[in-house]
Amino acid sequence: MAGFRTPNSGLRALRPGAFGADPDGERMARIRRSPHFKDGVFQNPGGPARTRPSGSTLDFAKVFFDKDTRPRRTPKGTVPVHSTTLADIARPPATGLRLTWMGHSSVLAEIDGRRVLFDPVWGARCSPFSFAGPKRLHPVPMPLAALGPVDVVVISHDHYDHLDMPTIKALAGTDTLFAVPLGVGAHLERWGVSADRLRELDWHEATRIGGLTLSATPARHFCGRGLRNTQHTLWASWVVAGEEHRIYHSGDTGYFDGFKETGAEHGPFDATMIQVGAYSGFWPDIHMTPAQGMQAHLDLQGGSPGGVLLPIHWGTFNLAPHAWAEPGEWMKDAAEEAGQAVAFPRAGEPFEPAGKLPVEAWWRAVSQPIACPWRRPEVVDRTAGTNKGLDLAGER
């Protein structure tokens, strides 16, 4: 009968475009052949990881909606942003490596004459809907169209705060290539990226693009965009190596021993971009605290301080019960204790890891009081400069 649809095809027609597409055909066959795919799903390194909040829903709701701590999860004023201009990024970096944090996990890396854009999210919300979901807490530093040519876009996994449909559709109109974990290419193809521009990798696979070697490396996380999570798309961290420089982007991950293995195989690194926000005791397996992020960096460097750590995955969206500026403040303490160089740029502020690093605690001007130093049994009100001497045991 003309116009007849099966119930399944009707449901697919109602599926929001931002949900992307499920892998099928040869892509799904390749997924099934992966050594990391077992019992119908991708497996995490180090054993199963809890991907849903532990404890009761009531316990989580009490923490998330607590009237005393909830205001701390957003800035109390306008977040300072460096309005990136073409002049900032037009001339090549003097040292051959320059990083520009665009907010959250989005980073433009200019490395050995090539431009790599990690996890670009230019949307107003990390959500499949324009009217709901976590809203950006500061504007993007520059329009996507003003960014200029990009050699390769690298995606760590398919969650909305890392894979943004409007951003990908805009980039699909350029000639950039895309390096993505296994299965994620199905989303991009649905949004207009042709198959010949995709480099879809399993862990421990690599591809060469314009003199750079991009390697997908393990991470401890999960995937999913639709109403049901089939675990049929992979999540990854990434190593990008040029003739002179090496960098690492963690994507989203819990802490695990694999950082040592990645460092031994690919490191040490001139710079690492490490996830240190959106952590919680309710999901300890899939996101890192600043202390864990520092340890991950040291593992990647062979156990000792080296290179520069750029904290990512914080400051742009409210995704966890911790205070908005806590990742920055706690990472500053962790860096001092470890003797490790850490860059704290404003979103949009370019810097060269081998040059002068941005180290100002810019968040303090617009932050609610932060419990810090976090490893010591006291609370310091950074905004007022007073030590309140409170026990932190119940806040971690």
Side-chain angles (χ1 to χ4, degrees), residues 61 66 116 188 230 286 322 332:
D66 181 80
V116 181
L188 273 66
T230 61
I286 55 173
H322 64 67
K332 208 161 183 63

Side-chain angles (χ1 to χ4, degrees), residues 34-168:
S34 168
H36 310 110
F37 191 80
K38 182 181 178 182
D39 298 329
V41 295
F42 278 111
Q43 305 291 318
N44 263 304
R50 289 167 289 178
T51 60
R52 297 183 181 276
S54 59
S56 70
T57 302
L58 179 60
D59 288 341
F60 177 72
K62 285 180 179 178
V63 172
F64 198 81
F65 294 106
D66 181 80
K67 65 182 178 60
D68 294 323
T69 60
R70 192 175 184 184
R72 290 197 230 159
R73 299 207 302 270
T74 56
K76 65 179 184 179
T78 302
V79 178
V81 172
H82 178 91
S83 296
T84 317
T85 65
L86 186 59
D88 286 325
I89 55 178
R91 63 181 182 279
T95 62
L97 176 62
R98 181 167 58 211
L99 302 179
T100 306
W101 179 51
M102 296 294 179
H104 202 57
S105 295
S106 305
V107 182
L108 174 66
E110 298 167 275
I111 174 172
D112 297 343
R114 300 294 177 178
R115 306 176 92 225
V116 181
L117 185 59
F118 292 96
D119 284 357
V121 174
W122 258 251
R125 296 182 185 271
C126 51
S127 166
F129 309 109
S130 61
F131 55 85
K135 192 173 183 180
R136 183 178 287 275
L137 299 174
H138 63 79
V140 291
M142 70 185 307
L144 187 63
L147 195 62
V150 172
D151 293 286
V152 56
V153 172
V154 177
I155 303 297
S156 64
H157 64 296
D158 69 0
H159 285 161
Y160 289 99
D161 57 324
H162 297 260
L163 181 61
D164 179 54
M165 181 186 71
T167 304
I168 297 300

Side-chain angles (χ1 to χ4, degrees), residues 87-310:
D88 286 325
I89 55 178
R91 63 181 182 279
T95 62
L97 176 62
R98 181 167 58 211
L99 302 179
T100 306
W101 179 51
M102 296 294 179
H104 202 57
S105 295
S106 305
V107 182
L108 174 66
E110 298 167 275
I111 174 172
D112 297 343
R114 300 294 177 178
R115 306 176 92 225
V116 181
L117 185 59
F118 292 96
D119 284 357
V121 174
W122 258 251
R125 296 182 185 271
C126 51
S127 166
F129 309 109
S130 61
F131 55 85
K135 192 173 183 180
R136 183 178 287 275
L137 299 174
H138 63 79
V140 291
M142 70 185 307
L144 187 63
L147 195 62
V150 172
D151 293 286
V152 56
V153 172
V154 177
I155 303 297
S156 64
H157 64 296
D158 69 0
H159 285 161
Y160 289 99
D161 57 324
H162 297 260
L163 181 61
D164 179 54
M165 181 186 71
T167 304
I168 297 300
K169 282 189 169 183
L171 291 166
T174 70
D175 59 359
T176 187
L177 301 178
F178 294 81
V180 302
L182 194 55
V184 174
H187 299 310
L188 273 66
E189 283 193 37
R190 182 173 186 187
W191 299 334
V193 178
S194 59
D196 64 327
R197 290 166 59 194
L198 289 171
R199 306 293 183 267
E200 202 163 340
L201 305 184
D202 200 348
W203 293 339
H204 308 298
E205 292 183 341
T207 186
R208 291 277 293 176
I209 296 176
L212 301 177
T213 299
L214 292 87
S215 302
T217 47
R220 189 166 165 79
H221 200 56
F222 68 112
C223 63
R225 293 181 72 85
L227 297 177
R228 62 189 183 93
N229 185 359
T230 61
Q231 294 289 78
H232 285 175
T233 64
L234 189 59
W235 48 95
S237 55
W238 287 87
V239 172
V240 178
E243 292 183 2
E244 301 292 335
H245 297 91
R246 290 174 176 266
I247 57 177
Y248 172 89
H249 189 285
S250 70
D252 276 3
T253 180
Y255 179 79
F256 69 116
D257 286 341
F259 294 110
K260 298 174 183 176
E261 298 170 8
T262 297
E265 182 176 357
H266 298 282
F269 299 96
D270 298 281
T272 66
M273 295 153 274
I274 303 289
Q275 172 264 307
V276 298
Y279 49 83
S280 172
F282 288 100
W283 48 82
D285 298 338
I286 55 173
H287 280 158
M288 292 190 292
T289 66
Q292 291 171 324
M294 175 58 67
Q295 187 59 57
H297 173 88
L298 296 175
D299 290 351
L300 290 162
Q301 300 296 70
S304 301
V308 173
L309 189 162
L310 171 62

